[in-house]
Amino acid sequence: MPKFLLFFVAILFVSCVNENISFDSVRERISINDSWSFYKYESAEITDDLIYDVRPEVVERNVVKDADSKPTEAISLEIKSKVLKPWILPTANDFINDPNKKYMRPEGNPGGDFPFVQTNFDDSSWEKVDLPHDWAIKEPFQTGWDSEVGGGMGRLPVNGVAWYRKKLDIPASDAGKSVFLDLDGTMSYAMVWCNGKLVGGWPYGYASWRLDLTSYLIPGGTNQLAIRLDNPNYSARWYPGGGIYRNVWLIKTNPVHVAQFGTYITTDNVSEDSATVSLEVNIDNDSKSDVKIEVSSEVYLLNDEGRKVGKPVSKFLPINTSVAAGKNSSVKSSVAIKNPKLWGPPPTQKPNLYMALTKVLQDGKQIDSYETRFGIRSLTFNADKGIFVNGERIQIKGVNNHHDLGALGAAFNTRAAERQLEILREMGCNAIRMSHNPPAPELLELTDKMGFLVMDEIFDSWERKKTPHDFHLIFQDWSEPDTRAFIRRDRNCPSVISWSFGNEVGEQYTGEAGAAVAHRLYDFVKEEDPTRPTILAMNFAKPFMELPVVPDMIGLNYQGEGIRQDPMFEGTDRIRTAPQYDAFHKKFPEKVIVSTETASAFSSRGIYLFPVTNALSAPVRNGSGGDSKIHQVSSYELHAVDFGSSADKVFKSVESHPFVAGEFVWTGWDYLGEPTPYYEARSSYTGIIDLAGFKKDRFYLYQSFWRPDFPMVHILPHWNWVNRIGKITPVHVFTSGDEVELFLNDKSLGKKKKAKYEYRLRWDDVVYEPGKLKAVAYKNGKKWAQEEIKTTGDAALLIAEADRKEIKADGKDLSFVTVKIADENGLPIPDAENLIQFSIVGPGEIVATDNGNPADMRAFSSFERNAFSGLCLVIVKGKDGESGIIQLTMESEDIQQHTIQIQTR
C-alpha cells in the first residue's frame, strides 16, 4: 500500500433505523412508549435481590479526578449470592460468532415469584410515565461534598433500582407471528420479564438490543411486561441518566423475515456517473420447517422529507434461496445505479439519501418487507493530506458531544438533538464524535439527513477501570456482543466515517497485553465492517508503544499540542507530553492522524475575570482565570484544563501540521457531570455552547476560523462595568476578517492586523469608560463586518424569542424560548441576574427551565429561574392531540410582564 494512502473506500450506506411499518402490513413496527407504570426504590440500599451480578464495594469515593487520571486494575470478586447473569447472557448469542462460546440458558425462572412481574400485581399507585424517560432529571440537585451522587455524575439521583411495567394488547390474529421487543437504550443492567417469566436483558446502558417475546406472549390475552433497571453509583465519569431513556418498539413479523439489523450495502467504483451497489440481506427462519424464498429489492431516491420520489432508480434481480428451520441465511446481489446523487457534507456537497425496499416472498406471496435508507459516497483517507469525501478534501471541524440534552437529561428527543446540530452547523462544525458511547439511532438519522461526518464510538473503558462500577465489570462477557451489535446497527449510516472502539483506555499502559485486547476488538469491528477505518483515542500511548500499531488511524487526545508543558507542571507525577504530531507521522507514515480531542478549554458564558493573562493558553487557578468562590471560569477564552489548550493554541498546532485531518473539540456543548474544575457544580465548563444552548464567546472564535468566508466580528467582554471606571479592561476581538479597527465612544483605539497563526486581536490596555464599543473588520482592505456593544440602563423589559413559534401537538415536539432581560431601550443587559417566574396557559406544558450556569443548583423542573449573564431558557411542548395557542408568560419584580404565543398543530 502506498505511503500516502491508508484507505480508499467507496461505500453505499444504510441508515441506522432500517425497519418501518410496511405498506402491506406484513411487518409492523409499533411504538410502545406511552403509558408505563414506574416505581423506583427510595434507597439504593433497600431494594429487591434480583441482581445481575455482584459488584465491588466502593472504597475510594473521591470523584474529583483529572479526566486523564490513569485507569487501574479490576478488583477480583467472589460470588456468594445467587445472580441472574447466567439467564441474561444468552440474549447476546446472536452477536457471538463462535458457536462454542454461545451461552446455554439454565433451567428455572428466577424472579418468577416476585410480585412486580406478576400480571395481577396492582401498580395503580406507581407513577405514570411516557418513554423516553430519565428518572433523575426533574429531581433536586444534591449539594455538598458528602452528597450521594457527586459532581462527576451530575449530582442527580441517577443511581438505584427501578421497575417499569406495561400491559401489551396482543390480538389473537398475531398467533403464529414472531414478536420482538426492541429497546434502543436502557440505563442500565436491564432485565425483562413477560407474563412472569424472565426473558433476558442487557447490562450496557448505551446498547440497542432485542428480545424475542414470541414464546412468552398469549395472543388474545393480557400480557404483562416488567423491566428492572439497576443503575449503580460510581459507574460513569459524566451524567449517564437513569431509566428507559430511548425509544421502545414492538416488532411483529412472519416467522420467516429479515433479521435484526438485517441489511448491509456496499458499493464499488463510485463516481458522478455510476456506482455498483452490493446488497446483503440476512433472513431468519423462526419456523419449524425449512423454507424456500425469493428475495428482491428496489432502490428509490428520497426527498428532503425522507419520502420516496417517483419510480425505482434501479432493481436488484430476485434471488431464490432456502433457509433451514430455526436458522439464518444470507443472500447477496449487486446492481448498477447510473448518475447517482452523492451524499456529502454541506456547504459544498449535499447529503442525498436513497432507500432500498427489500421484499421476501414465499410461494409467490409477500411475507416480509424491509426498508433501508442509505447514501452513496466515496471516502479516501490520505495520510499526508487528510480525508476526502467524493474527491473533495474535507478538513474535520468537529466536536465531541456527550449524550445528555441539558435540562432534558438523557431522555432522547429528536428536536432537542436537531437544535444542537443546527447551532453547531452555524458555527462551522461539520463532524461529531460520539463520546464515548453508541448514540440514539435517531441522532444518526439526523447526521445522515444534515450531512455531518461522524466518528462513532463504543467504549470508554475495557478491562481496566476508571470508576469502580464502569464497563470493566462486564467487559469480558459483553465486549464482543456489544461491539458486533453496535457495528451492525450503525454500519449503514452514510454519516459514519470511522469506528472508535476505545477512549483513553487503561490498556495504553499495559504494553503487549493491552494491544492484545485491542486486537481482539479490532477483529470484531473488521469482521462486521471491513470498509471503514478504525481508531483509538489515545492520551498517553506514544509512537514507540504497542497500542498505536493496532488501529487503522491515529487518534490523539491533547497530545498534538502537548500536555502539561507549562513549567508549573515540572516534577509532578501527571502525564506530561511534548507535541506529538510529527513523531506519530514519522512512525506511522501510512496512517491518517486525527485529533480526537482538542482544547478542553474552559469558560462560563458572560463571566469575565481580571487580571487577563498574557499567555496564549493557561491553566485555571484562583486569580488566574478562575474563582472557586463563585465556581466560574473567565470568558476571555484563554484558559483550559491542565492537560488541555486554548482554542488559539490548537488552531496554530493543527494549521501548522497540514497532514493532520482535523480536530474534534472537547466539547461542542456543555454537559451534565464532570464539572472540572469545580466539582461542587452540576455541569461542565468546556462547551463552546452552554448547557442551555446559549453561545459562549468561544463560539465566535471557532466561527471566525471555521467559516473564513462568513463576514463576522465579535467583541468581548460586555461593557457594563460600574466598578471598573478608570481601570484597564482588556478588549479582544474575533473576526473572519484579517484586520480590525476598534472604537470607544467613537474614538479610534487603532487598527490591528492578524499575523500568521494569530486568531484574535487584543487591545489589552483599554481603560474602561461607559458608552459604546465598536469593532469594524476588514478583509483584503475592504470593510467586512461590524459590531457594536453598549453600556445598558437598568432592567425594564423581558424579551422572549422562540426558536419555533409553531410546533406539532404530539407531546414530543419542542419550542426553546430564550428570555432576555433588557433596559428601557430594548438593549439586552449582559450581567443581569433577575429572578423570572414562568406560567403557561393553553394546550402546552413547561418541560424545563435553565440558564446555562454550571453552578445553578435549582432543579430543571422549576418554573422560576434567575437569569445568568442576562439570559434564561424555557422549554415548552404541546399536549398530544391538542391543537391551539399556547401562551407563555414571564414576569420579574419591577420588570414589565411579557407573554408570547406558540401555535400547536
Side-chain angles (χ1 to χ4, degrees):
M1 183 178 295
K3 166 185 173 180
F4 62 87
L5 185 62
L6 171 60
F7 276 106
F8 176 79
V9 287
I11 307 164
L12 186 72
F13 291 95
V14 248
S15 163
C16 325
V17 177
N18 291 323
E19 302 169 39
N20 294 289
I21 297 175
S22 171
F23 61 90
D24 55 12
S25 297
V26 294
R27 170 184 290 259
E28 294 180 86
R29 185 175 189 249
I30 304 165
S31 171
I32 56 170
N33 284 344
D34 296 341
S35 303
W36 289 73
S37 297
F38 170 74
Y39 172 79
K40 184 172 183 284
Y41 292 101
E42 291 185 5
S43 168
E45 283 70 42
I46 306 173
T47 66
D48 55 68
D49 60 358
L50 299 174
I51 62 173
Y52 171 83
D53 201 356
V54 296
R55 299 193 186 105
E57 181 183 357
V58 178
V59 177
E60 174 56 59
R61 298 178 183 271
N62 177 25
V63 299
V64 185
K65 292 184 178 181
D66 284 327
D68 65 341
S69 297
K70 180 181 178 180
T72 56
E73 289 183 282
I75 297 174
S76 297
L77 295 173
E78 180 182 355
I79 299 176
K80 295 182 178 180
S81 58
K82 184 176 181 179
V83 299
L84 275 63
K85 182 170 75 169
W87 285 265
I88 303 303
L89 286 169
T91 307
N93 281 345
D94 285 347
F95 302 96
I96 298 173
N97 276 14
D98 185 346
N100 296 318
K101 294 183 178 179
K102 294 180 185 288
Y103 297 100
M104 290 291 294
R105 181 181 170 118
E107 296 293 325
N109 181 38
D113 57 352
F114 188 69
F116 292 179
V117 311
Q118 305 300 317
T119 57
N120 59 359
F121 175 76
D122 182 6
D123 58 22
S124 59
S125 64
W126 288 18
E127 182 183 356
K128 305 307 174 187
V129 300
D130 294 335
L131 309 181
H133 176 240
D134 179 348
W135 72 47
I137 195 60
K138 293 184 178 181
E139 300 300 317
F141 286 97
Q142 300 175 6
T143 58
W145 288 110
D146 59 349
S147 62
E148 184 177 9
V149 178
M153 287 174 61
R155 296 190 170 275
L156 288 168
V158 295
N159 60 316
V161 175
W163 287 81
Y164 292 80
R165 284 171 46 93
K166 182 179 177 65
K167 294 190 184 301
L168 295 179
D169 180 17
I170 304 296
S173 58
D174 283 346
K177 291 185 178 180
S178 292
V179 183
F180 305 97
L181 181 69
D182 281 9
L183 302 103
D184 288 344
T186 50
M187 192 63 69
S188 54
Y189 289 91
M191 297 188 286
V192 179
W193 285 259
C194 181
N195 293 329
K197 296 182 178 179
L198 179 61
V199 184
W202 205 286
Y204 189 31
Y206 296 102
S208 296
W209 49 287
R210 166 175 285 188
L211 289 175
D212 187 347
L213 298 182
T214 309
S215 63
Y216 299 90
L217 294 170
I218 305 170
T222 299
N223 294 271
Q224 181 68 57
L225 277 182
I227 301 177
R228 182 188 191 272
L229 299 182
D230 180 2
N231 206 28
N233 205 353
Y234 306 99
S235 61
R237 299 185 298 121
W238 56 86
Y239 177 78
I244 304 177
Y245 69 103
R246 293 178 183 167
N247 292 315
V248 179
W249 310 91
L250 204 62
I251 310 297
K252 300 179 181 180
T253 70
N254 285 303
V256 180
H257 55 267
V258 178
Q260 181 189 18
F261 313 138
T263 54
Y264 180 37
I265 303 177
T266 59
T267 68
D268 294 309
N269 305 316
V270 172
S271 70
E272 293 182 353
D273 297 324
S274 66
T276 303
V277 182
S278 297
L279 169 65
E280 178 179 347
V281 182
N282 290 286
I283 306 294
D284 282 343
N285 179 4
D286 294 340
S287 75
K288 297 181 180 180
S289 303
D290 298 349
V291 296
K292 293 182 179 180
I293 58 171
E294 178 184 283
V295 181
S296 63
S297 300
E298 300 173 335
V299 176
Y300 294 85
L301 182 67
L302 299 182
N303 62 18
D304 292 341
E305 286 74 45
R307 299 188 180 93
K308 293 186 297 184
V309 176
K311 298 179 179 180
V313 298
S314 192
K315 297 182 179 182
F316 292 85
L317 290 175
I319 297 178
N320 295 298
T321 189
S322 297
V323 190
K327 300 295 183 180
N328 174 280
S329 181
S330 64
V331 298
K332 298 179 181 179
S333 56
S334 297
V335 72
I337 294 182
K338 295 182 179 180
N339 303 312
K341 293 184 179 296
L342 303 183
W343 185 98
T348 56
Q349 302 184 43
K350 184 177 179 181
N352 296 296
L353 292 169
Y354 289 87
M355 186 268 285
L357 175 61
T358 298
K359 299 178 182 179
V360 181
L361 288 84
Q362 183 180 7
D363 298 327
K365 179 183 177 182
Q366 183 174 325
I367 58 173
D368 197 14
S369 66
Y370 193 93
E371 294 183 354
T372 305
R373 282 199 322 276
F374 61 85
I376 304 171
R377 49 96 168 119
S378 67
L379 290 177
T380 306
F381 293 82
N382 185 308
D384 288 326
K385 298 180 180 179
I387 298 173
F388 292 75
V389 182
N390 301 322
E392 178 189 1
R393 185 183 187 277
I394 302 295
Q395 180 77 4
I396 299 297
K397 303 172 181 176
V399 300
N400 289 267
N401 261 6
H402 272 309
H403 77 134
D404 75 74
L405 296 169
L408 301 175
F412 188 80
N413 180 278
T414 298
R415 173 54 200 159
E418 181 181 48
R419 173 179 176 250
Q420 287 194 340
L421 294 175
E422 287 172 347
I423 297 173
L424 290 169
R425 167 67 44 81
E426 181 187 350
M427 183 175 68
C429 174
N430 64 8
I432 310 292
R433 177 179 175 227
M434 301 297 178
S435 49
H436 304 291
N437 46 259
E442 293 82 4
L443 181 54
L444 289 179
E445 288 183 47
L446 288 170
T447 57
D448 285 348
K449 177 182 177 181
M450 299 174 71
F452 283 88
L453 305 177
V454 170
M455 179 177 289
D456 212 357
E457 189 162 81
I458 183 166
F459 297 133
D460 186 50
S461 60
W462 295 345
E463 293 177 344
R464 297 173 73 83
K465 63 183 173 68
K466 295 181 178 178
T467 59
H469 293 155
D470 67 19
F471 187 79
H472 84 279
L473 295 177
I474 55 174
F475 180 84
Q476 291 295 336
D477 295 327
W478 288 91
S479 54
E480 178 181 1
D482 272 319
T483 301
R484 293 191 188 278
F486 161 67
I487 301 295
R488 290 181 201 174
R489 190 196 74 168
D490 296 351
R491 65 185 174 184
N492 300 313
C493 298
S495 55
V496 175
I497 65 169
S498 64
W499 304 114
S500 173
F501 58 98
N503 172 67
E504 297 183 354
V505 294
E507 285 70 11
Q508 293 176 98
Y509 297 84
T510 59
E512 292 182 1
V517 179
H519 271 295
R520 176 174 169 270
L521 294 173
Y522 176 90
D523 289 343
F524 296 154
V525 174
K526 287 301 188 179
E527 287 166 8
E528 298 296 334
D529 178 30
T531 65
R532 290 181 184 83
T534 61
I535 196 167
L536 292 172
M538 300 177 293
N539 67 322
F540 174 76
K542 304 300 183 291
F544 56 85
M545 295 180 179
E546 290 84 355
L547 193 69
V549 176
V550 180
D552 302 313
M553 294 197 292
I554 299 296
L556 300 180
N557 285 9
Y558 311 105
Q559 294 198 69
E561 290 70 51
I563 296 174
R564 293 188 181 88
Q565 292 299 286
D566 192 283
M568 68 182 294
F569 298 111
E570 290 181 7
T572 66
D573 61 356
R574 306 300 296 129
I575 296 173
R576 299 190 71 238
T577 303
Q580 291 292 303
Y581 285 140
D582 291 320
F584 272 96
H585 191 49
K586 182 178 180 180
K587 178 66 175 180
F588 300 102
E590 78 287 359
K591 294 190 179 188
V592 168
I593 296 175
V594 179
S595 255
T596 37
E597 287 181 30
T598 61
S600 204
F602 282 150
S603 57
S604 303
R605 177 184 53 79
I607 301 296
Y608 304 92
L609 303 178
F610 303 94
V612 177
T613 181
N614 292 318
L616 179 69
S617 180
V620 170
R621 297 292 185 270
N622 275 338
S624 178
D627 188 332
S628 60
K629 291 182 179 179
I630 60 173
H631 299 148
Q632 304 297 354
V633 181
S634 178
S635 265
Y636 271 96
E637 309 293 10
L638 291 165
H639 295 272
V641 296
D642 288 359
F643 54 82
S645 303
S646 68
D648 309 64
K649 183 178 178 181
V650 174
F651 292 162
K652 179 179 179 181
S653 181
V654 172
E655 197 172 18
S656 59
H657 295 89
F659 58 82
V660 175
E663 63 168 317
F664 290 91
V665 181
W666 191 268
T667 53
W669 282 60
D670 276 340
Y671 55 94
L672 287 166
E674 202 173 23
T676 310
Y678 303 123
Y679 268 75
E680 287 187 279
R682 65 178 195 190
S683 53
S684 75
Y685 297 77
T686 56
I688 302 169
I689 300 156
D690 75 17
L691 199 70
F694 301 140
K695 301 164 186 173
K696 300 182 185 180
D697 292 288
R698 206 172 342 133
F699 176 96
Y700 302 98
L701 180 55
Y702 279 95
Q703 188 181 64
S704 71
F705 184 57
W706 282 355
R707 297 184 65 184
D709 297 327
F710 177 66
M712 58 79 62
V713 63
H714 177 76
I715 306 169
L716 65 139
H718 63 69
W719 215 237
N720 277 23
W721 298 104
V722 294
N723 296 322
R724 296 195 64 81
I725 295 174
K727 296 181 180 180
I728 291 178
T729 306
V731 175
H732 293 189
V733 177
F734 307 147
T735 181
S736 54
D738 51 39
E739 189 175 18
V740 169
E741 186 170 11
L742 184 67
F743 297 85
L744 175 55
N745 293 327
D746 295 323
K747 178 183 177 181
S748 176
L749 301 183
K751 265 189 179 183
K752 296 195 175 187
K753 191 168 186 175
K754 287 193 285 189
K756 188 176 183 180
Y757 302 138
E758 188 175 25
Y759 307 97
R760 71 173 72 204
L761 294 170
R762 303 174 58 143
W763 283 261
D764 284 331
D765 56 355
V766 177
V767 176
Y768 178 76
E769 60 182 64
K772 178 178 69 175
L773 269 180
K774 180 173 72 172
V776 181
Y778 298 85
K779 193 161 190 171
N780 298 323
K782 297 181 179 180
K783 187 175 178 180
W784 179 247
Q786 177 176 311
E787 183 182 63
E788 292 182 357
I789 60 173
K790 296 179 180 179
T791 306
T792 66
D794 295 333
L797 303 173
L798 294 170
I799 300 174
E801 299 173 354
D803 71 331
R804 294 154 78 237
K805 294 183 178 180
E806 182 175 309
I807 59 176
K808 298 175 184 176
D810 61 0
K812 300 175 184 177
D813 200 9
L814 302 173
S815 180
F816 291 83
V817 181
T818 298
V819 181
K820 302 177 182 179
I821 297 176
D823 67 11
E824 62 182 1
N825 297 314
L827 290 176
I829 302 174
D831 55 347
E833 297 180 350
N834 304 62
L835 181 67
I836 308 172
Q837 291 89 25
F838 302 96
S839 58
I840 195 166
V841 175
E845 300 175 15
I846 295 175
V847 180
T849 64
D850 192 15
N851 56 18
N853 179 1
D856 185 349
M857 308 308 283
R858 191 185 299 266
F860 290 128
S861 53
S862 174
F863 282 17
E864 61 179 25
R865 178 82 48 187
N866 288 90
F868 178 63
S869 296
L871 299 178
C872 197
L873 177 75
V874 190
I875 305 173
V876 174
K877 72 175 181 180
K879 294 181 178 179
D880 189 12
E882 298 185 30
S883 298
I885 299 293
I886 298 171
Q887 294 192 86
L888 176 67
T889 298
M890 52 223 70
E891 50 191 335
S892 183
E893 187 176 358
D894 298 327
I895 300 179
Q896 183 176 325
Q897 177 181 298
H898 183 62
T899 298
I900 66 165
Q901 294 185 343
I902 299 167
Q903 174 75 54
T904 67
R905 300 190 186 279

